[in-house]
Amino acid sequence: MSSIVSPLRLLLLGAPGSGKGTQTSKLLKRFPSINSLSSGDVLRSQIALNSPIGQEASGYIKMGRLVPDSTMVQLITSQLQQKNWLHSDATWLLDGFPRTAPQAQALNVILSESNANINMVVELDVDQSVILERIEARWVHLPSGRVYSLDYNPPKVPFKDDITGESLSKRDDDTAEVFQKRLDQYNSEIEPLKRFYEAQGTLHKISGNTSDIIFPKLETLILENFGK
Ligand code: ATP
Ligand code: MG
């Protein structure tokens, strides 16, 4: 089976519930050289720790609003440093950050200095009516960010994480009302963000209403550009 042979630094874009977390899990399984970082998971673990950033973030997240750009840039930059991801050989995947054009600009400066720019951006394009239908079925393992759907990707044991056996939970912001706000927020930020990466020549789009349709296309795209 073919594998990744040159450093891939991938950003997944997509509406809330479009399956970024699911695609990430599949990619990590398929390509063991990839490591991933999800801004939502980082924020949720800060909230669980009740850290100052967690306290600041939780109010925004509950309302379905974005955490301020400056907080996000600081938080994620320090994660990138801690993980030793700021060098030209690094292979990684970001999910959920950057998600505004100012975040993308700020990150671009930091990554350019380290010769570690994002070299592929993929927008997961899923019908928003489909997303709204399936969000109710979503359960997550909060410590790891693993995502399950009671409909099409159920855990092996009901309401338990496949790997740790710990309980799954619903995200507080996955209620119908907050979820619609998150979708609206996404729709208002995404165009400038896409233009930014389009100008860099890294933007791709994959359409499909299930993860099983999207994943093979994503795998092919990665292998065409970074594989052998
Ligand atoms: P999904 O996890 O279903 O793809 P999502 O992308 O909306 O949906 P997360 O990425 O888990 O969800 O983020 C949850 C919340 O955390 C967001 O609604 C927002 O409040 C905050 N957040 C996450 N990433 C960022 C970011 N880059 N900038 C600002 N706020 C963020
Ligand atoms: Mg997510």
Side-chain angles (χ1 to χ4, degrees):
M1 239 195 336
S2 22
S3 57
I4 294 176
V5 291
S6 56
L8 163 67
R9 287 181 291 274
L10 171 68
L11 168 64
L12 288 181
L13 298 180
S18 61
K20 298 180 298 276
T22 303
Q23 296 301 326
T24 298
S25 301
K26 286 174 176 278
L27 286 173
L28 298 188
K29 245 185 234 161
R30 170 66 182 83
F31 299 114
S33 63
I34 302 183
N35 293 295
S36 71
L37 182 66
S38 151
S39 58
D41 291 347
V42 172
L43 288 169
R44 282 183 286 275
S45 70
Q46 293 291 320
I47 291 171
L49 291 169
N50 202 22
S51 70
I53 285 189
Q55 289 174 12
E56 183 196 350
S58 78
Y60 292 99
I61 293 178
K62 272 190 208 133
M63 291 184 291
R65 293 179 50 198
L66 293 182
V67 176
D69 288 338
S70 56
T71 307
M72 289 308 301
V73 170
Q74 267 180 33
L75 177 66
I76 301 297
T77 305
S78 80
Q79 293 276 323
L80 295 172
Q81 276 160 350
Q82 275 172 39
K83 289 172 170 287
N84 189 25
W85 281 10
L86 295 176
H87 61 89
S88 61
D89 290 333
T91 282
W92 41 248
L93 179 172
L94 299 181
D95 154 5
F97 179 90
R99 74 169 67 186
T100 66
Q103 289 178 13
Q105 279 148 8
L107 182 66
N108 193 52
V109 171
I110 293 157
L111 295 179
S112 298
E113 284 166 357
S114 323
N115 251 315
N117 253 316
I118 291 174
N119 47 25
M120 180 177 270
V121 180
V122 178
E123 179 196 8
L124 307 179
D125 171 37
V126 181
D127 285 346
Q128 295 198 353
S129 56
V130 172
I131 290 177
L132 280 170
E133 263 170 37
R134 72 189 192 196
I135 207 64
E136 278 195 14
R138 172 157 84 173
W139 286 72
V140 293
H141 178 243
L142 283 173
S144 69
R146 279 187 286 278
V147 188
Y148 298 86
S149 159
L150 298 188
D151 297 336
Y152 67 95
N153 168 35
K156 288 179 188 136
V157 177
F159 306 106
K160 301 286 180 196
D161 178 47
D162 286 353
I163 310 248
T164 63
E166 291 167 349
S167 295
L168 303 180
S169 33
K170 289 294 287 179
R171 277 170 47 173
D172 294 341
D173 57 350
D174 273 354
T175 62
E177 192 201 350
V178 176
F179 196 80
Q180 184 61 55
K181 292 213 179 93
R182 288 162 56 203
L183 269 183
D184 295 345
Q185 174 81 252
Y186 175 81
N187 292 331
S188 72
E189 299 286 353
I190 190 64
E191 288 308 323
L193 189 58
K194 278 165 56 176
R195 277 198 298 276
F196 179 87
Y197 289 113
E198 205 161 31
Q200 300 205 332
T202 49
L203 184 66
H204 302 261
K205 174 168 162 170
I206 297 181
S207 303
N209 285 346
T210 71
S211 295
D212 291 343
I213 292 176
I214 289 185
F215 184 70
K217 298 185 189 176
L218 182 56
E219 183 187 12
T220 303
L221 183 68
I222 289 173
L223 286 172
E224 275 169 5
N225 289 277
F226 297 90
K228 189 178 69 180

mmCIF file of all heavy atoms in Angstrom, residues 8 14 21 23 30-31 35-36 40 64 69 74 83 85 91 101 104 121-122 131-132 141 148 156 180 182 186 217-218:
data_model
loop_
_atom_site.group_PDB
_atom_site.id
_atom_site.type_symbol
_atom_site.label_atom_id
_atom_site.label_comp_id
_atom_site.label_asym_id
_atom_site.label_seq_id
_atom_site.Cartn_x
_atom_site.Cartn_y
_atom_site.Cartn_z
ATOM 1 N N LEU A 8 3.660 16.372 4.625
ATOM 2 C CA LEU A 8 2.300 16.854 4.375
ATOM 3 C C LEU A 8 1.861 17.690 5.561
ATOM 4 O O LEU A 8 1.905 17.222 6.706
ATOM 5 C CB LEU A 8 1.350 15.654 4.228
ATOM 6 C CG LEU A 8 -0.156 15.950 4.353
ATOM 7 C CD1 LEU A 8 -0.640 16.797 3.179
ATOM 8 C CD2 LEU A 8 -0.952 14.652 4.449
ATOM 9 N N GLY A 14 -14.287 22.726 6.974
ATOM 10 C CA GLY A 14 -15.608 22.154 6.766
ATOM 11 C C GLY A 14 -16.528 22.616 7.858
ATOM 12 O O GLY A 14 -16.083 22.908 8.976
ATOM 13 N N GLY A 21 -13.486 15.461 12.197
ATOM 14 C CA GLY A 21 -12.957 14.534 13.204
ATOM 15 C C GLY A 21 -12.935 13.096 12.702
ATOM 16 O O GLY A 21 -11.972 12.361 12.933
ATOM 17 N N GLN A 23 -12.809 12.106 9.499
ATOM 18 C CA GLN A 23 -11.773 11.975 8.462
ATOM 19 C C GLN A 23 -10.389 11.933 9.105
ATOM 20 O O GLN A 23 -9.513 11.203 8.659
ATOM 21 C CB GLN A 23 -11.844 13.145 7.459
ATOM 22 C CG GLN A 23 -13.131 13.200 6.645
ATOM 23 C CD GLN A 23 -13.381 11.945 5.829
ATOM 24 O OE1 GLN A 23 -12.453 11.304 5.330
ATOM 25 N NE2 GLN A 23 -14.648 11.561 5.688
ATOM 26 N N ARG A 30 -4.804 5.285 8.420
ATOM 27 C CA ARG A 30 -4.283 4.944 7.096
ATOM 28 C C ARG A 30 -2.830 5.386 6.917
ATOM 29 O O ARG A 30 -2.045 4.715 6.252
ATOM 30 C CB ARG A 30 -5.193 5.599 6.034
ATOM 31 C CG ARG A 30 -4.684 5.549 4.602
ATOM 32 C CD ARG A 30 -4.626 4.111 4.076
ATOM 33 N NE ARG A 30 -4.100 4.085 2.714
ATOM 34 C CZ ARG A 30 -2.812 4.096 2.395
ATOM 35 N NH1 ARG A 30 -1.896 4.147 3.357
ATOM 36 N NH2 ARG A 30 -2.432 4.062 1.135
ATOM 37 N N PHE A 31 -2.481 6.555 7.504
ATOM 38 C CA PHE A 31 -1.135 7.113 7.338
ATOM 39 C C PHE A 31 -0.512 7.334 8.717
ATOM 40 O O PHE A 31 -0.628 8.408 9.309
ATOM 41 C CB PHE A 31 -1.177 8.448 6.587
ATOM 42 C CG PHE A 31 -1.747 8.368 5.200
ATOM 43 C CD1 PHE A 31 -2.943 9.001 4.895
ATOM 44 C CD2 PHE A 31 -1.090 7.665 4.198
ATOM 45 C CE1 PHE A 31 -3.474 8.936 3.610
ATOM 46 C CE2 PHE A 31 -1.616 7.590 2.903
ATOM 47 C CZ PHE A 31 -2.811 8.220 2.618
ATOM 48 N N ASN A 35 0.352 13.228 12.423
ATOM 49 C CA ASN A 35 -0.163 13.568 13.751
ATOM 50 C C ASN A 35 -1.199 14.659 13.575
ATOM 51 O O ASN A 35 -1.117 15.421 12.622
ATOM 52 C CB ASN A 35 0.955 14.104 14.646
ATOM 53 C CG ASN A 35 1.957 13.024 14.963
ATOM 54 O OD1 ASN A 35 1.636 12.057 15.618
ATOM 55 N ND2 ASN A 35 3.180 13.189 14.452
ATOM 56 N N SER A 36 -2.140 14.744 14.505
ATOM 57 C CA SER A 36 -3.207 15.724 14.298
ATOM 58 C C SER A 36 -3.419 16.594 15.523
ATOM 59 O O SER A 36 -3.079 16.221 16.644
ATOM 60 C CB SER A 36 -4.514 15.012 13.962
ATOM 61 O OG SER A 36 -5.001 14.350 15.100
ATOM 62 N N GLY A 40 -10.831 22.386 18.541
ATOM 63 C CA GLY A 40 -11.975 22.138 19.418
ATOM 64 C C GLY A 40 -11.583 21.216 20.573
ATOM 65 O O GLY A 40 -11.958 21.447 21.721
ATOM 66 N N GLY A 64 -22.017 29.269 20.825
ATOM 67 C CA GLY A 64 -21.802 28.974 19.417
ATOM 68 C C GLY A 64 -21.010 30.057 18.714
ATOM 69 O O GLY A 64 -21.044 30.170 17.490
ATOM 70 N N ASP A 69 -9.603 35.693 18.072
ATOM 71 C CA ASP A 69 -8.452 35.270 17.264
ATOM 72 C C ASP A 69 -7.151 35.273 18.061
ATOM 73 O O ASP A 69 -6.349 34.342 17.952
ATOM 74 C CB ASP A 69 -8.293 36.203 16.048
ATOM 75 C CG ASP A 69 -9.388 35.966 15.005
ATOM 76 O OD1 ASP A 69 -9.977 34.863 14.996
ATOM 77 O OD2 ASP A 69 -9.645 36.888 14.205
ATOM 78 N N GLN A 74 -2.452 32.345 20.026
ATOM 79 C CA GLN A 74 -1.499 32.034 21.110
ATOM 80 C C GLN A 74 -1.570 30.584 21.531
ATOM 81 O O GLN A 74 -0.551 29.903 21.672
ATOM 82 C CB GLN A 74 -1.834 32.887 22.332
ATOM 83 C CG GLN A 74 -1.069 34.182 22.388
ATOM 84 C CD GLN A 74 -1.475 34.964 23.632
ATOM 85 O OE1 GLN A 74 -1.796 34.385 24.667
ATOM 86 N NE2 GLN A 74 -1.464 36.279 23.525
ATOM 87 N N LYS A 83 4.811 20.547 20.481
ATOM 88 C CA LYS A 83 4.834 19.290 19.736
ATOM 89 C C LYS A 83 6.035 19.195 18.802
ATOM 90 O O LYS A 83 6.190 18.198 18.116
ATOM 91 C CB LYS A 83 3.544 19.169 18.908
ATOM 92 C CG LYS A 83 2.305 18.912 19.727
ATOM 93 C CD LYS A 83 1.075 19.013 18.838
ATOM 94 C CE LYS A 83 -0.181 18.534 19.525
ATOM 95 N NZ LYS A 83 -0.237 17.062 19.669
ATOM 96 N N TRP A 85 6.500 20.884 16.008
ATOM 97 C CA TRP A 85 5.930 20.792 14.665
ATOM 98 C C TRP A 85 6.386 21.935 13.753
ATOM 99 O O TRP A 85 5.925 22.047 12.632
ATOM 100 C CB TRP A 85 4.402 20.818 14.733
ATOM 101 C CG TRP A 85 3.794 19.512 15.115
ATOM 102 C CD1 TRP A 85 4.436 18.392 15.573
ATOM 103 C CD2 TRP A 85 2.396 19.179 15.069
ATOM 104 N NE1 TRP A 85 3.527 17.396 15.810
ATOM 105 C CE2 TRP A 85 2.274 17.843 15.515
ATOM 106 C CE3 TRP A 85 1.247 19.888 14.697
ATOM 107 C CZ2 TRP A 85 1.034 17.205 15.586
ATOM 108 C CZ3 TRP A 85 0.020 19.250 14.780
ATOM 109 C CH2 TRP A 85 -0.076 17.925 15.222
ATOM 110 N N THR A 91 5.243 16.560 9.479
ATOM 111 C CA THR A 91 4.010 16.137 8.811
ATOM 112 C C THR A 91 2.894 16.179 9.840
ATOM 113 O O THR A 91 3.011 15.554 10.897
ATOM 114 C CB THR A 91 4.173 14.697 8.268
ATOM 115 O OG1 THR A 91 4.923 14.730 7.064
ATOM 116 C CG2 THR A 91 2.833 14.066 7.946
ATOM 117 N N ALA A 101 -9.858 34.417 8.499
ATOM 118 C CA ALA A 101 -8.727 34.900 7.698
ATOM 119 C C ALA A 101 -7.629 35.511 8.583
ATOM 120 O O ALA A 101 -6.444 35.250 8.345
ATOM 121 C CB ALA A 101 -9.214 35.883 6.627
ATOM 122 N N ALA A 104 -5.555 32.768 9.857
ATOM 123 C CA ALA A 104 -4.738 32.181 8.788
ATOM 124 C C ALA A 104 -3.519 33.053 8.515
ATOM 125 O O ALA A 104 -2.404 32.539 8.332
ATOM 126 C CB ALA A 104 -5.575 32.011 7.517
ATOM 127 N N VAL A 121 -4.842 22.280 1.712
ATOM 128 C CA VAL A 121 -6.055 22.654 2.435
ATOM 129 C C VAL A 121 -7.213 21.948 1.746
ATOM 130 O O VAL A 121 -7.336 22.031 0.525
ATOM 131 C CB VAL A 121 -6.271 24.181 2.403
ATOM 132 C CG1 VAL A 121 -7.545 24.571 3.149
ATOM 133 C CG2 VAL A 121 -5.063 24.909 2.982
ATOM 134 N N VAL A 122 -7.998 21.225 2.511
ATOM 135 C CA VAL A 122 -9.118 20.505 1.908
ATOM 136 C C VAL A 122 -10.410 20.929 2.578
ATOM 137 O O VAL A 122 -10.562 20.824 3.799
ATOM 138 C CB VAL A 122 -8.949 18.975 2.040
ATOM 139 C CG1 VAL A 122 -10.165 18.259 1.448
ATOM 140 C CG2 VAL A 122 -7.676 18.511 1.346
ATOM 141 N N ILE A 131 -26.086 17.571 7.455
ATOM 142 C CA ILE A 131 -25.367 17.799 8.711
ATOM 143 C C ILE A 131 -26.343 17.991 9.870
ATOM 144 O O ILE A 131 -26.203 17.389 10.932
ATOM 145 C CB ILE A 131 -24.469 19.053 8.581
ATOM 146 C CG1 ILE A 131 -23.307 18.761 7.644
ATOM 147 C CG2 ILE A 131 -23.989 19.507 9.940
ATOM 148 C CD1 ILE A 131 -22.404 19.949 7.405
ATOM 149 N N LEU A 132 -27.352 18.818 9.657
ATOM 150 C CA LEU A 132 -28.307 19.090 10.730
ATOM 151 C C LEU A 132 -29.019 17.813 11.162
ATOM 152 O O LEU A 132 -29.236 17.584 12.350
ATOM 153 C CB LEU A 132 -29.327 20.147 10.283
ATOM 154 C CG LEU A 132 -28.809 21.579 10.352
ATOM 155 C CD1 LEU A 132 -29.765 22.554 9.665
ATOM 156 C CD2 LEU A 132 -28.597 22.003 11.810
ATOM 157 N N HIS A 141 -16.046 10.900 22.524
ATOM 158 C CA HIS A 141 -15.188 10.575 23.662
ATOM 159 C C HIS A 141 -14.368 11.826 23.905
ATOM 160 O O HIS A 141 -13.440 12.126 23.151
ATOM 161 C CB HIS A 141 -14.296 9.370 23.332
ATOM 162 C CG HIS A 141 -13.361 9.010 24.444
ATOM 163 N ND1 HIS A 141 -11.997 9.065 24.310
ATOM 164 C CD2 HIS A 141 -13.613 8.603 25.719
ATOM 165 C CE1 HIS A 141 -11.439 8.692 25.462
ATOM 166 N NE2 HIS A 141 -12.390 8.409 26.319
ATOM 167 N N TYR A 148 -18.371 9.436 17.301
ATOM 168 C CA TYR A 148 -19.199 8.316 16.856
ATOM 169 C C TYR A 148 -20.542 8.842 16.396
ATOM 170 O O TYR A 148 -21.003 9.888 16.839
ATOM 171 C CB TYR A 148 -19.434 7.338 18.019
ATOM 172 C CG TYR A 148 -18.161 6.726 18.542
ATOM 173 C CD1 TYR A 148 -17.410 7.381 19.519
ATOM 174 C CD2 TYR A 148 -17.687 5.524 18.040
ATOM 175 C CE1 TYR A 148 -16.220 6.839 19.989
ATOM 176 C CE2 TYR A 148 -16.498 4.970 18.500
ATOM 177 C CZ TYR A 148 -15.775 5.634 19.472
ATOM 178 O OH TYR A 148 -14.596 5.097 19.925
ATOM 179 N N LYS A 156 -18.604 0.043 19.373
ATOM 180 C CA LYS A 156 -18.810 -1.414 19.445
ATOM 181 C C LYS A 156 -19.724 -1.766 20.623
ATOM 182 O O LYS A 156 -20.594 -2.612 20.520
ATOM 183 C CB LYS A 156 -17.457 -2.127 19.602
ATOM 184 C CG LYS A 156 -16.647 -2.071 18.304
ATOM 185 C CD LYS A 156 -15.279 -2.748 18.456
ATOM 186 C CE LYS A 156 -14.433 -2.490 17.223
ATOM 187 N NZ LYS A 156 -13.032 -2.139 17.572
ATOM 188 N N GLN A 180 -27.099 25.556 15.072
ATOM 189 C CA GLN A 180 -27.445 26.450 13.956
ATOM 190 C C GLN A 180 -26.572 27.712 14.003
ATOM 191 O O GLN A 180 -26.107 28.201 12.970
ATOM 192 C CB GLN A 180 -28.931 26.822 14.030
ATOM 193 C CG GLN A 180 -29.407 27.672 12.839
ATOM 194 C CD GLN A 180 -29.253 26.946 11.502
ATOM 195 O OE1 GLN A 180 -29.748 25.840 11.318
ATOM 196 N NE2 GLN A 180 -28.527 27.557 10.544
ATOM 197 N N ARG A 182 -23.548 27.890 15.141
ATOM 198 C CA ARG A 182 -22.199 27.508 14.691
ATOM 199 C C ARG A 182 -22.153 27.418 13.169
ATOM 200 O O ARG A 182 -21.178 27.840 12.550
ATOM 201 C CB ARG A 182 -21.785 26.179 15.332
ATOM 202 C CG ARG A 182 -21.469 26.321 16.814
ATOM 203 C CD ARG A 182 -21.489 25.004 17.551
ATOM 204 N NE ARG A 182 -20.585 24.028 16.975
ATOM 205 C CZ ARG A 182 -20.703 22.712 17.128
ATOM 206 N NH1 ARG A 182 -21.701 22.222 17.831
ATOM 207 N NH2 ARG A 182 -19.835 21.913 16.589
ATOM 208 N N TYR A 186 -19.872 29.698 10.759
ATOM 209 C CA TYR A 186 -18.984 29.091 9.763
ATOM 210 C C TYR A 186 -19.222 29.724 8.394
ATOM 211 O O TYR A 186 -18.282 30.118 7.703
ATOM 212 C CB TYR A 186 -19.253 27.575 9.686
ATOM 213 C CG TYR A 186 -18.461 26.894 8.589
ATOM 214 C CD1 TYR A 186 -17.132 26.545 8.807
ATOM 215 C CD2 TYR A 186 -19.025 26.620 7.342
ATOM 216 C CE1 TYR A 186 -16.386 25.929 7.808
ATOM 217 C CE2 TYR A 186 -18.291 26.011 6.339
ATOM 218 C CZ TYR A 186 -16.967 25.672 6.582
ATOM 219 O OH TYR A 186 -16.237 25.084 5.581
ATOM 220 N N LYS A 217 -11.658 9.734 -1.618
ATOM 221 C CA LYS A 217 -11.240 10.883 -2.432
ATOM 222 C C LYS A 217 -10.093 11.622 -1.745
ATOM 223 O O LYS A 217 -9.149 12.081 -2.379
ATOM 224 C CB LYS A 217 -12.411 11.849 -2.650
ATOM 225 C CG LYS A 217 -13.596 11.264 -3.399
ATOM 226 C CD LYS A 217 -14.626 12.365 -3.658
ATOM 227 C CE LYS A 217 -15.929 11.802 -4.219
ATOM 228 N NZ LYS A 217 -16.960 12.861 -4.368
ATOM 229 N N LEU A 218 -10.192 11.736 -0.428
ATOM 230 C CA LEU A 218 -9.163 12.423 0.336
ATOM 231 C C LEU A 218 -7.850 11.634 0.280
ATOM 232 O O LEU A 218 -6.760 12.205 0.072
ATOM 233 C CB LEU A 218 -9.661 12.570 1.783
ATOM 234 C CG LEU A 218 -8.785 13.303 2.784
ATOM 235 C CD1 LEU A 218 -8.450 14.709 2.305
ATOM 236 C CD2 LEU A 218 -9.500 13.378 4.143
#
